[in-house]
Amino acid sequence: MAELTFRTGTMDAGKSTLALQTNHNHAARGRAGRLFTSHDRAGSAQVSSRLGLRAEAIEVGPDLDFWRYTVDALTQGARIDYFICDEAQFYTPEQVDQLAKVVDELQIDVFCFGILTDFRTRLFPGSARLVEVADRTEVLQVEALCWCGKRATHNARTENGVMVTEGDVIVVGDVDDVTSPPAVHDVEVAYEVLCRQHHRRRMTAARARAVSLSPEPLPFS
């Protein structure tokens, strides 16, 4: 029986790497699949991993109807055994329902990969719907780490080096590209993964370093 699987983790947890590996494993067994993505860090219509792996994919915009796309492809004689859907947090709830219908009615496996919550610690609508309807939801076992060494559970956004908790939900960036972060309206945007405690305190690695270098007053006068 086909299944809708949602594999999730913070940024830097290896989701895209696993998506590409999953595609490789199924293709190596003679299965025919399609790769989808949305707002990948490397640009449109590709799945890219921080390890340097990448593959061409179909860009998922808000107007893509997965059900209609699949039916049209099958009607034209295409063979489809599975879908790999990366950056699934950016899909609409309606698109997630379409993927569930593809699984149930056409017996095509769908493997979704994405982040649960945004930098404001709120569920992405696409991810929320996946949790609600997926046959299986799996948290990736490759744990991303906060600067303090604890397991990272939250995604943080910084603007000009200062952590923010408000703003546009979709601003594409990378946790690794600290030397040349994306600029949005002359604002340098970067991302960092943090544990809950340091996300609550807005204590990024840069701020922690600044605090540690600050001269502390002696405990006596």
Side-chain angles (χ1 to χ4, degrees), residues 145-168:
L145 298 178
C146 177
W147 60 263
C148 68
K150 292 174 61 177
R151 183 169 72 91
T153 55
H154 290 62
N155 305 294
R157 178 190 294 173
T158 61
E159 295 182 358
N160 294 331
V162 178
M163 181 176 158
V164 296
T165 56
E166 296 181 357
D168 294 336

Side-chain angles (χ1 to χ4, degrees), residues 16 18 41 53 56 69 72-74 76 84 95 98 111 122 128 130 143 145 161 165 178 184-185 201:
S16 295
L18 182 57
R41 71 184 72 82
L53 305 173
E56 293 184 359
Y69 170 89
D72 288 347
L74 295 176
Q76 295 171 17
I84 302 291
Q95 287 172 326
Q98 293 159 12
F111 303 94
R122 298 174 187 170
L130 276 165
E143 294 182 349
L145 298 178
T165 56
V178 295
V184 181
H185 304 304
R201 295 179 179 179

Side-chain angles (χ1 to χ4, degrees), residues 3-199:
E3 286 189 331
L4 173 58
T5 303
F6 180 37
R7 291 171 177 154
T8 184
T10 61
M11 297 179 72
D12 213 19
K15 296 179 299 300
S16 295
T17 302
L18 182 57
L20 292 169
Q21 182 67 52
T22 301
N23 180 61
H24 170 78
N25 290 349
H26 283 264
R29 296 296 178 265
R31 305 191 80 205
R34 303 285 173 94
L35 271 69
F36 297 89
T37 190
S38 182
H39 298 91
D40 188 273
R41 71 184 72 82
S44 178
Q46 57 184 316
V47 175
S48 68
S49 163
R50 293 187 181 89
L51 297 182
L53 305 173
R54 65 180 59 201
E56 293 184 359
I58 299 166
E59 184 73 15
V60 178
D63 297 327
L64 177 64
D65 185 322
F66 280 103
W67 174 257
R68 178 50 50 197
Y69 170 89
T70 310
V71 169
D72 288 347
L74 295 176
T75 300
Q76 295 171 17
R79 175 187 166 191
I80 303 176
D81 298 312
Y82 65 92
F83 284 165
I84 302 291
C85 298
D86 198 26
E87 306 292 355
Q89 71 271 10
F90 296 135
Y91 301 2
T92 67
E94 292 76 19
Q95 287 172 326
V96 173
D97 287 336
Q98 293 159 12
L99 288 170
K101 186 177 180 181
V102 167
V103 173
D104 294 339
E105 305 300 330
L106 301 176
Q107 290 301 297
I108 293 174
D109 287 310
V110 175
F111 303 94
C112 293
F113 302 81
I115 299 170
L116 267 182
T117 58
D118 61 25
F119 70 102
R120 305 168 303 172
T121 71
R122 298 174 187 170
L123 286 168
F124 283 99
S127 297
R129 189 59 181 150
L130 276 165
V131 171
E132 292 167 345
V133 303
D135 295 296
R136 287 186 294 153
T137 297
E138 303 173 354
V139 178
L140 298 189
Q141 297 303 306
V142 178
E143 294 182 349
L145 298 178
C146 177
W147 60 263
C148 68
K150 292 174 61 177
R151 183 169 72 91
T153 55
H154 290 62
N155 305 294
R157 178 190 294 173
T158 61
E159 295 182 358
N160 294 331
V162 178
M163 181 176 158
V164 296
T165 56
E166 296 181 357
D168 294 336
V169 173
I170 302 178
V171 178
V172 179
D174 198 338
V175 296
D176 285 341
D177 193 3
V178 295
T179 58
S180 180
V184 181
H185 304 304
D186 297 323
V187 175
E188 291 186 344
V189 179
Y191 288 91
E192 183 176 345
V193 290
L194 300 172
C195 64
R196 183 183 65 241
Q197 180 185 46
H198 288 126
H199 191 280

